[in-house]
Amino acid sequence: MAYTITDACISCGVCEAECPVSCITAGDDKYVIDADACIDCGTCAGVCPVEAPQPE
Ligand code: SF4
Ligand code: SF4
């Protein structure tokens, strides 16, 4: 299980800085999570202003 970032993402970058395993990177139109590296901690969901990261 991993978190994924939905189209609600406004590319603010806050989650990238807060992820403990640095598995969030900027994509073309939104930020993306490397599902293989994500440890499902939920930190990104907690800091996102638009609730874009969601558990799969
Ligand atoms: Fe990173 Fe945790 Fe979000 Fe996974 S759930 S992308 S490990 S902050
Ligand atoms: Fe996108 Fe939310 Fe991450 Fe900002 S904190 S880059 S809006 S997912």
Side-chain angles (χ1 to χ4, degrees):
M1 191 159 146
Y3 274 66
T4 54
I5 293 174
T6 69
D7 290 345
C9 175
I10 55 172
S11 296
C12 71
V14 170
C15 60
E16 179 185 23
E18 297 295 328
C19 176
V21 294
S22 301
C23 69
I24 304 174
T25 53
D28 290 337
D29 54 0
K30 63 178 182 179
Y31 274 57
V32 292
I33 292 171
D34 177 351
D36 291 331
C38 176
I39 59 172
D40 207 28
C41 70
T43 299
C44 51
V47 298
C48 179
V50 295
E51 298 182 355
Q54 298 287 333
E56 281 192 329

